[in-house]
Amino acid sequence: MSSRKITRALISVYKKDNLESIIEALASQKVELISTGGTQEFIEKLGYPVTPVEKLTGYPSIFGGRVKTLHPAVFGGILYRRDDGGDLSQAKEFSISGIDLVMVDLYPFEETVSQGGSTEEIIEKIDIGGISLIRAAAKNFQDVLIVSSRTQYQEALDLLRNKHCSTELEDRQRFATMAFDVTSHYDSAIFQYFNRDAATLSFKSSLMGGRALRYGENPHQKAVFYGNLDELFEQLNGKELSFNNLVDTDAAIHLLNEFPDETAFVIIKHTNACGVATAPSVKEAYLKAFQADTLSAFGGVLATNKPVDLEAAEAMNSLFFEILVAPSFSPEAFELLKTKKNRILLRQLQPVAQGRQVKTLLNGVVEQDHDWKTDTEEDLKVVTERVPTEKEIRSLLLASKICKHTKSNTIVLVQEGQMVASGVGQTSRVDALKQAIEKAKTFGFSLDGAVMASDAFFPFPDCVEIASAEGIKAVIQPGGSIKDQDSIDSCNKNEMSMVFTGYRHFKH
């Protein structure tokens, strides 16, 4: 029979929040309670009888609590098969009584690491008995119900109440699946801690709490987001975030990270910036960013690193856009912007963690550091006779920041705190430059005195020659070509300045 009545329960949890109702439900059905340490004291304070696990095993808790439940009287009671004659005979021979419910909440290993615990504190938060109990009970899901995390308490309570402490096979199997999710995640976190210097080349990553998306990159593709978006954003308005929304928001946030000390505004379309600007106010920064490409901004993702006030909201409200991300919105700005019910407004709660980049590739996975390098004035090596002015240096650094977050091959053109155009994702650098020039002219920009950034070196002087003909006066690039001198000579000939950074910023 698939139905199992719970008559004995072993409960050993780290955190006792919301545990009382479950204890009451079990006690109301005369379930025998077995427990350890703090959980035992908790149950006793509620006034219910509880059997100490030491009475079951004949051993006290030893080695500072490291060994409490690791005993055949406990694990035999969980693992013996109720429909196996041999197991039943052995259970009777060794006086092992069945345990039908196991409840565990593991030591908070990840929390201890994230809170900066000492090595000793972290090691002591590696749960041994608890993880073993979970695996044993989950393995024997045919007979035993396992509740492996306090996040499952409510679901477990509903089950116990609705079925009067009986369970069906499908219930136990569902909870077993969740249990192995808990244990695999826990073990992955421990491995990541021990392998934080990446000495062992083994890829393990675990994220709890998947969220099914409306669809993937296209409507015929299914998609799930794994992670806790609520830690990063508070959604104040609008429809559910889609796959493409998340991808573009990620691009916007990483680009904004380049401007910790300036008021910046970015407009993203298909992960590329179609507008970026810095200015004294959010309104001014938005208008300058929008001016760069008033066509592509339609349906884009907007983001700023400063609070949005009413003036800024009024400036952008007439534009159709998918998302606006900001650290906060004034009450007046929020009231205006939320008038479009599907418009997504996100309040960013914290920066994006500086983790590693992971991508599925062929029959495996590649992992790398994020490109956290931001080119600074100290990185610049002037290689031409003409030295860029201070104003040009500021523009060059802005262009370089944008270039780093744009699909290769790319060229970015900037004038006084404003991206005026970019050429993105081209198969040649010349094509990228021509695309940028054409776009700048389309939206009425003069390139006289503008600066140019390239994500990689110039193998030939052709880009410098084309740029010079348009009035561009300064260039930033990593350098490193065997023909660097040809581009330098072309700059000198055309009275342009060029700086090398020594850092390439490909983005694929």
Side-chain angles (χ1 to χ4, degrees):
M1 293 177 61
S2 69
S3 181
R4 292 285 187 268
K5 180 71 174 177
I6 297 171
T7 60
R8 294 177 92 216
L10 172 59
I11 305 172
S12 180
V13 299
Y14 186 82
K15 293 189 177 179
K16 319 300 187 293
D17 305 10
N18 304 316
L19 182 62
E20 182 175 350
S21 297
I22 292 179
I23 301 300
E24 290 174 353
L26 293 169
S28 70
Q29 294 293 314
K30 305 292 190 293
V31 174
E32 180 187 348
L33 304 177
I34 307 164
S35 195
T36 64
T39 310
Q40 177 190 332
E41 293 176 12
F42 178 84
I43 296 172
E44 288 172 341
K45 286 179 180 178
L46 293 176
Y48 298 108
V50 56
T51 302
V53 77
E54 291 86 351
K55 183 176 179 181
L56 206 64
T57 65
Y59 278 87
S61 174
I62 56 177
F63 308 131
R66 284 187 167 198
V67 179
K68 289 180 285 191
T69 58
L70 296 168
H71 192 279
V74 175
F75 281 85
I78 296 169
L79 282 165
Y80 87 81
R81 290 159 289 191
R82 277 56 163 179
D83 57 358
D84 184 283
D87 285 9
L88 289 168
S89 176
Q90 282 191 312
K92 183 177 180 180
E93 178 184 356
F94 294 105
S95 301
I96 293 174
S97 300
I99 296 173
D100 313 302
L101 166 65
V102 175
M103 286 190 65
V104 175
D105 183 52
L106 295 170
Y107 292 165
F109 177 82
E110 286 183 281
E111 292 91 331
T112 307
V113 173
S114 66
Q115 291 166 7
S118 67
T119 301
E120 183 180 358
E121 289 170 332
I122 290 169
I123 297 303
E124 288 307 312
K125 288 300 186 291
I126 297 176
D127 207 314
I128 302 299
I131 206 88
S132 301
L133 289 169
I134 292 173
R135 290 179 64 85
K139 178 177 180 175
N140 199 23
F141 68 89
Q142 294 282 351
D143 301 303
V144 180
L145 176 69
I146 173 64
V147 179
S148 53
S149 168
R150 62 184 178 277
T151 62
Q152 301 163 17
Y153 285 1
Q154 187 58 53
E155 186 175 353
L157 178 61
D158 293 341
L159 174 64
L160 295 172
R161 283 175 171 171
N162 293 338
K163 297 188 177 180
H164 307 290
C165 289
S166 290
T167 63
E168 302 298 327
L169 179 60
E170 62 181 1
D171 302 322
R172 299 190 296 275
Q173 188 162 6
R174 184 175 72 257
F175 275 86
T177 301
M178 292 190 288
F180 286 120
D181 184 28
V182 168
T183 60
S184 63
H185 178 79
Y186 197 78
D187 284 339
S188 292
I190 295 170
F191 170 76
Q192 295 290 4
Y193 171 75
F194 278 92
N195 198 46
R196 54 195 181 279
D197 296 327
T200 300
L201 296 181
S202 177
F203 177 77
K204 290 180 176 63
S205 182
S206 177
L207 292 168
M208 306 283 279
R211 175 191 297 194
L213 303 175
R214 295 200 307 273
Y215 52 81
E217 202 162 7
N218 299 291
H220 62 276
Q221 295 171 266
K222 293 181 179 180
V224 178
F225 175 81
Y226 296 100
N228 187 356
L229 278 177
D230 294 336
E231 290 180 350
L232 192 59
F233 300 114
E234 179 186 7
Q235 183 166 345
L236 304 175
N237 190 68
K239 59 188 178 182
E240 182 184 349
L241 287 160
S242 70
F243 179 97
N244 292 331
N245 289 158
L246 291 169
V247 172
D248 284 344
T249 300
D250 178 77
I253 295 304
H254 280 95
L255 178 51
L256 267 185
N257 284 346
E258 302 287 346
F259 305 96
D261 303 316
E262 300 174 272
T263 298
F265 204 100
V266 306
I267 303 174
I268 299 291
K269 199 72 174 288
H270 298 296
T271 75
N272 292 308
C274 57
V276 181
T278 60
S281 71
V282 173
K283 176 185 176 180
E284 292 173 85
Y286 162 72
L287 291 173
K288 289 170 70 176
F290 176 65
Q291 187 182 18
D293 189 341
T294 56
L295 187 61
S296 296
F298 182 87
V301 169
L302 282 55
T304 182
N305 56 0
K306 300 295 181 183
V308 174
D309 57 19
L310 181 58
E311 284 193 350
E314 288 173 338
M316 65 184 79
N317 189 52
S318 61
L319 175 68
F320 168 74
F321 57 86
E322 289 277 338
I323 300 173
L324 173 59
V325 184
S328 64
F329 301 82
S330 74
E332 299 82 6
F334 175 65
E335 287 300 316
L336 176 62
L337 292 169
K338 75 173 187 178
T339 55
K340 307 290 175 62
K341 66 177 184 178
N342 287 330
R343 177 184 282 163
I344 299 169
L345 303 177
L346 299 177
R347 184 169 75 89
Q348 188 174 356
L349 304 176
Q350 61 183 6
V352 177
Q354 295 190 8
R356 302 263 289 169
Q357 253 181 335
V358 177
K359 184 177 183 180
T360 57
L361 203 67
L362 299 175
N363 63 342
V365 170
V366 289
E367 182 183 21
Q368 67 170 356
D369 296 330
H370 271 281
D371 183 0
W372 296 114
K373 172 60 184 173
T374 297
D375 296 329
T376 66
E377 190 167 351
E378 289 72 29
D379 297 317
L380 306 185
K381 178 184 176 183
V382 180
V383 294
T384 50
E385 295 168 1
R386 181 181 182 272
V387 176
T389 66
E390 283 300 315
K391 185 169 74 170
E392 286 173 341
I393 287 174
R394 289 193 296 272
S395 292
L396 287 168
L397 292 174
L398 172 59
S400 174
K401 291 173 180 178
I402 301 166
C403 210
K404 169 183 160 182
H405 294 272
T406 307
K407 291 283 187 183
S408 299
N409 289 307
T410 183
I411 294 288
V412 173
L413 307 178
V414 163
Q415 282 263 39
E416 297 187 24
Q418 176 185 31
M419 184 182 88
V420 295
S422 64
V424 303
Q426 298 301 302
T427 52
S428 82
R429 211 153 298 283
V430 170
D431 286 343
L433 176 56
K434 288 180 177 178
Q435 182 190 58
I437 291 170
E438 180 182 356
K439 201 164 193 179
K441 290 180 177 178
T442 298
F443 291 100
F445 289 101
S446 167
L447 295 177
D448 189 36
V451 307
M452 172 173 76
S454 173
D455 59 336
F457 63 63
F458 295 115
F460 305 103
D462 43 10
C463 282
V464 172
E465 293 163 2
I466 294 169
S468 173
E470 298 297 333
I472 293 168
K473 290 299 182 185
V475 182
I476 185 170
Q477 58 134 321
S481 168
I482 59 173
K483 294 188 176 182
D484 274 345
Q485 193 59 48
D486 291 348
S487 294
I488 294 170
D489 291 343
S490 181
C491 280
N492 288 334
K493 174 185 173 183
N494 292 287
E495 298 183 342
M496 297 170 65
S497 60
M498 179 180 284
V499 296
F500 287 177
T501 65
Y503 293 94
R504 189 181 73 183
H505 294 294
F506 271 165
K507 184 170 185 247
H508 292 100

